[in-house]
Amino acid sequence: MSEKSTSGPVSEKINALRETLRHHEYLYYVLDAPEVSDAQYDTWMRELRALEEEHPELRTEDSPTQRVGGKPKEGFVKVAHSRPMLSLDNAYDEAELREWDRRVRELAGEETVAYVCELKMDGLSLALTYENARLVRGVTRGDGVIGEDVTSNVRTIRSVPLSISPARMLASGLPANFEVRGEVVLPMAAFQKLNAEREEQGLAPAANPRNAAAGTLRTLEPNIVAQRRLDFYAYFGLSESGYIFPQQSETLDALNAAGFRVNPKRALVQNIDDAWEFIAKADALRESLPYEIDGVVIKVNSRALQDKLGFTGRAPRWAIAYKFAARSAATQVQNITVQVGRTGKLTPVAELTPVPIGGTTVSRATLHNADEITRLDLKIGDWVTVERGGDVIPKVVAVLREKRPADTRDFIFPTHCPECGSIVVREEDEVDFRCINVNCPARLRESLLYFSARKVMNIEGLGEAVVNQLTERGLVRNLADIYQLDEAALLSLDRIGEKTAQSLLQEIARSKQAPLDRVLLGLGIRFVGERTAQFLADAFGSMDRLMQASTEELERVQEIGPRISMSIQEFFQVPANRELIEKLRQAGLNFTAEQKKISSKLSGLTFVLTGTLPTLTREEAKERIEREGGNVSGSVSKKTSYVVAGNEAGSKLDKARKLGVPILNEVELMELLERRR
Ligand code: IVH
């Protein structure tokens, strides 16, 4: 038989099976309304697989058999977004929400504005690119400008269509090439299952479904991702020329018609009163939903109006996230223990009778420091209110005095490190006690965990279980020792097989390419966080230049004052630290960066802000001025270059007039910022 005569009917059969499977996937994963049994579905799938195996020439990327395909070998590739993925400004109460609405209406010049209300799913945002109605790419938000290509993992998410049928394309009105943005979430049930498994394996549980979803999406094994049952909810559609439809409500309907999961709990409302009602309903629903939400997103429905309103620095003016209050519960403090951090800081932790708060079980809560225990008047055995926000560690917010049992005990802060027994000290005007032993095993452990964290050197697989063993067995005595590890050393650890060892070594090798700011962050210099590390790398361009920097040079860098500059200099003076840096250099870490020039457009000019500006907040205005090299000061003098005045400006404006200091409104300020560009 010739090729052609067989492939005709076979390819028809294959196509029919694919259509059937896609249809039932849609019913099952998007509509939650299956019409056939799992067994029937599996039978069709097996049949299709067998046919495709016999006829590999008929295999296509969008076949339902191809959800788990190739995997990324060298980690994820960075990709620039077609348009930045912005974040949202928040409103925390009704007044803030109404103030936002007032501003929107004022800028729009309309009496009322129609809004779309959507649930704010607590996951991570993802951009999906479709070309010729086929999924070609899935990219995480990353920093909003550049994200990571996680396509092979995204393909495993059943509610993400791999391709969209011509009928659905027609019904939706979407163009052949488009981008969908939405939220990847891990449903509560999948989250609980995952944590139960982790516990069985002796691993620390994931803190919340969002972290678990983010971790899953960045797993290098697509078949693990496939098992985790992530879900995708679409909330945005874009095409090359911008938006596709004149209204957000239409966009959502179109995405729904195309076969995406769009949260059905949404509403088009005509004014803010109705939006407020939607929020109240959503809040009441919150506990009963199968996934976590942390608020409601309210978007201006009209696209034309969205354009007119535009953006502030990082967020659109036409949308706002109304955040629900943190959830809390009452429970009893069984004990108070003390944890040693990477800087030696001792943090008291309340060990609680486990209590469910919004779907996760909380058994520990931070007490921050000794003063906080005094402030709360907390004793061991007390009943307390524990609060859990979106991503923050649970905290004890109040003691329920009326429930105080008779047998409570005072907590006495230890005088010695619970880990190494060294004496602990509290420096003048500091709230924290510290273990001053630089070789304290707890400090080393925590430093390693911090160094390997995603936001720092991002060494996947170097988690608690491995770090504990490495330090206990003396295989790693400082950060640089990580780079000396070999396969034999890793294989000597419990629960590490060849495959894991290999991939960990690869991860370690890959981390050598991390940019200088991450290396600086990883050193764990006190007060040097993400932003400061970035500023330092930008300003000095190399480890060596930074190490030699004078106080003056350091303090010239954005946001760096005497406290930080002193900490940096102290760090580089310690011989052990210098040695560590040499070892890291020899290991081949990135010690140079491209030096960025901070704009000097407004350098030498001093601004004073007063009153309420129509669109910019005080912080935003300050940031913009500083970004262009200008200074912002709190009081008006003869040296002030400009006073920027908004509504209800008071004495500062009077003083400016008296001194003859030029006065700008917001528009004029913006012109100044733009003009000199
Ligand atoms: S719109 C420019 N809609 O919330 C508009 N975001 O705080 C950007 N999110 O990064 C987002 N549900 O990850 C939008 N229905 C929804 C959302 C939503 C959850 C997340 C999203 C975004 C974050 C902003």
Side-chain angles (χ1 to χ4, degrees):
M1 240 187 276
S2 79
E3 266 273 322
K4 266 188 191 140
S5 62
T6 54
S7 69
V10 173
S11 90
E12 262 167 41
K13 175 80 189 152
I14 285 182
N15 278 337
L17 276 170
R18 285 178 186 159
E19 274 318 303
T20 306
L21 284 163
R22 282 184 191 128
H23 175 66
H24 289 286
E25 282 183 352
Y26 175 73
L27 292 174
Y28 186 99
Y29 294 106
V30 177
L31 299 187
D32 282 329
E35 285 176 4
V36 296
S37 67
D38 289 5
Q40 173 64 70
Y41 175 88
D42 290 344
T43 309
W44 284 325
M45 185 63 106
R46 267 197 304 274
E47 211 176 315
L48 176 60
R49 238 189 229 121
L51 285 173
E52 287 183 350
E53 243 152 61
E54 264 171 55
H55 300 272
E57 75 281 2
L58 296 178
R59 200 171 273 165
T60 59
E61 279 243 306
D62 64 346
S63 169
T65 57
Q66 300 302 300
R67 290 244 174 226
V68 183
K71 60 175 176 180
K73 288 211 184 55
E74 304 282 329
F76 301 108
V77 177
K78 301 244 189 290
V79 190
H81 288 294
S82 64
R83 243 162 276 247
M85 287 186 88
L86 301 163
S87 58
L88 295 172
D89 284 335
N90 296 326
Y92 293 96
D93 56 34
E94 187 176 350
E96 284 178 17
L97 180 74
R98 290 190 180 274
E99 174 53 24
W100 171 76
D101 166 66
R102 192 195 60 71
R103 253 186 7 186
V104 166
R105 285 183 293 116
E106 184 180 276
L107 291 167
E110 315 232 347
E111 274 291 304
T112 59
V113 169
Y115 300 116
V116 173
C117 305
E118 300 165 24
L119 298 184
K120 186 169 187 302
M121 323 267 318
D122 200 10
L124 60 148
S125 39
L126 184 71
L128 304 178
T129 306
Y130 284 78
E131 284 171 11
N132 289 320
R134 284 178 190 219
L135 175 71
V136 294
R137 208 165 32 255
V139 183
T140 61
R141 176 169 185 274
D143 63 6
V145 178
I146 291 172
E148 284 179 321
D149 185 329
V150 289
T151 312
S152 38
N153 286 343
V154 167
R155 297 175 68 85
T156 70
I157 304 176
R158 304 297 206 289
S159 44
V160 170
L162 298 180
S163 66
I164 296 160
S165 70
R168 282 195 182 281
M169 286 301 288
L170 200 64
S172 69
L174 287 168
N177 297 338
F178 61 93
E179 187 179 324
V180 178
R181 292 182 176 182
E183 199 81 351
V184 173
V185 298
L186 189 66
M188 229 39 227
F191 170 70
Q192 278 154 357
K193 181 164 160 266
L194 170 69
N195 268 354
E197 280 166 16
R198 288 183 65 90
E199 211 159 301
E200 246 167 50
Q201 294 162 6
L203 299 170
N208 54 50
R210 168 152 47 98
N211 285 1
T216 303
L217 203 58
R218 296 186 73 266
T219 303
L220 284 167
E221 296 281 346
N223 45 40
I224 293 182
V225 183
Q227 287 160 22
R228 296 271 174 87
R229 293 281 180 251
L230 291 172
D231 220 335
F232 177 76
Y233 285 84
Y235 56 63
F236 242 175
L238 305 163
S239 74
E240 216 157 86
S241 50
Y243 294 71
I244 309 171
F245 302 98
Q247 299 188 346
Q248 166 70 2
S249 56
E250 292 170 316
T251 304
L252 295 178
D253 293 342
L255 293 173
N256 196 36
F260 289 93
R261 193 189 257 272
V262 178
N263 203 318
K265 297 199 169 46
R266 61 180 189 269
L268 172 59
V269 299
Q270 296 307 317
N271 54 51
I272 203 69
D273 291 333
D274 291 351
W276 181 244
E277 218 168 275
F278 180 93
I279 290 173
K281 279 196 204 133
D283 202 356
L285 262 179
R286 200 177 173 196
E287 297 297 329
S288 62
L289 294 170
Y291 41 76
E292 281 222 272
I293 61 171
D294 60 346
V296 169
V297 182
I298 298 131
K299 299 174 184 167
V300 167
N301 190 38
S302 151
R303 202 233 108 169
L305 185 48
Q306 290 186 1
D307 276 351
K308 185 167 169 191
L309 292 166
F311 301 84
T312 63
R314 49 167 211 119
R317 284 198 191 90
W318 46 261
I320 195 150
Y322 179 87
K323 293 290 239 348
F324 292 142
R327 287 178 287 190
S328 61
T331 187
Q332 208 170 7
V333 175
Q334 295 177 342
N335 197 4
I336 296 175
T337 54
V338 172
Q339 226 170 2
V340 187
R342 66 191 161 86
T343 57
K345 177 183 160 184
L346 269 55
T347 305
V349 176
E351 308 286 343
L352 308 164
T353 308
V355 59
I357 308 183
T360 52
T361 303
V362 174
S363 53
R364 310 179 81 212
T366 179
L367 291 165
H368 301 295
N369 52 54
D371 288 0
E372 179 70 3
I373 297 177
T374 315
R375 191 188 67 80
L376 288 166
D377 180 27
L378 174 67
K379 296 182 194 301
I380 298 169
D382 263 335
W383 280 85
V384 291
T385 306
V386 180
E387 215 177 74
R388 186 173 74 84
D391 51 359
V392 284
I393 314 163
K395 58 183 178 191
V396 172
V397 289
V399 171
L400 302 168
R401 287 297 301 270
E402 67 283 2
K403 284 184 97 170
R404 174 165 287 175
D407 59 350
T408 57
R409 283 183 290 135
D410 280 335
F411 170 70
I412 298 159
F413 212 88
T415 52
H416 292 80
C417 172
E419 193 79 33
C420 70
S422 300
I423 195 152
V424 304
V425 298
R426 180 191 250 196
E427 267 160 50
E428 231 180 292
D429 57 67
E430 281 204 4
V431 287
D432 297 319
F433 285 95
R434 280 168 204 288
C435 164
I436 51 165
N437 173 12
V438 286
N439 294 316
C440 173
R443 290 181 62 172
L444 175 59
R445 238 176 20 233
E446 296 298 323
S447 307
L448 284 164
L449 285 172
Y450 180 74
F451 189 80
S452 73
R454 185 157 300 150
K455 279 189 167 174
V456 189
M457 299 299 277
N458 192 11
I459 307 177
E460 202 165 302
L462 196 59
E464 225 162 303
V466 177
V467 163
N468 285 352
Q469 296 189 60
L470 288 173
T471 51
E472 267 163 31
R473 300 181 190 200
L475 289 167
V476 168
R477 293 175 200 279
N478 60 53
L479 295 178
D481 283 351
I482 299 175
Y483 295 98
Q484 306 304 322
L485 289 171
D486 56 17
E487 198 174 333
L490 291 179
L491 285 176
S492 75
L493 306 181
D494 298 342
R495 273 188 246 236
I496 289 213
E498 220 158 281
K499 218 171 143 199
T500 317
Q502 281 293 345
S503 75
L504 183 51
L505 286 175
Q506 264 175 27
E507 278 287 299
I508 292 173
R510 196 173 58 89
S511 75
K512 293 181 185 172
Q513 282 151 29
L516 177 63
D517 60 289
R518 302 287 193 105
V519 179
L520 288 176
L521 190 61
L523 291 175
I525 306 170
R526 267 190 97 190
F527 310 130
V528 177
E530 231 172 306
R531 273 169 74 85
T532 310
Q534 182 79 59
F535 291 144
L536 288 170
D538 286 350
F540 294 100
S542 78
M543 184 70 84
D544 294 310
R545 291 212 37 221
L546 172 64
M547 287 175 78
Q548 287 155 12
S550 66
T551 311
E552 229 176 37
E553 284 171 322
L554 283 167
E555 287 178 23
R556 227 178 282 148
V557 178
Q558 217 166 336
E559 290 179 19
I560 294 186
R563 189 182 65 137
I564 306 182
S565 78
M566 189 145 75
S567 161
I568 294 170
Q569 287 183 319
E570 276 176 7
F571 181 90
F572 289 124
Q573 271 159 21
V574 175
N577 292 339
R578 299 182 77 96
E579 236 170 79
L580 171 69
I581 288 166
E582 265 328 295
K583 284 188 186 152
L584 291 174
R585 185 200 308 273
Q586 274 155 26
L589 268 66
N590 218 336
F591 272 27
T592 54
E594 224 173 274
Q595 227 166 319
K596 274 191 211 145
K597 277 226 164 64
I598 299 170
S599 162
S600 54
K601 231 195 287 186
L602 301 181
S603 91
L605 300 181
T606 301
F607 293 75
V608 173
L609 304 169
T610 176
T612 315
L613 299 175
T615 69
L616 292 177
T617 66
R618 183 101 31 122
E619 257 325 292
E620 286 161 0
K622 181 165 183 274
E623 201 185 298
R624 293 212 181 180
I625 292 167
E626 287 175 348
R627 209 188 303 151
E628 304 301 347
N631 267 317
V632 175
S633 145
S635 57
V636 182
S637 75
K638 269 191 294 196
K639 287 190 193 143
T640 309
S641 319
Y642 295 100
V643 166
V644 183
N647 272 340
E648 283 159 44
S651 61
K652 288 181 190 170
L653 185 58
D654 298 338
K655 189 157 179 201
R657 290 207 178 103
K658 217 175 287 161
L659 294 172
V661 174
I663 296 159
L664 305 176
N665 61 25
E666 185 183 283
V667 174
E668 289 162 334
L669 169 66
M670 297 296 258
E671 274 170 10
L672 189 69
L673 290 165
E674 311 272 322
R675 178 150 38 99
R676 294 190 168 203
R677 190 159 283 167

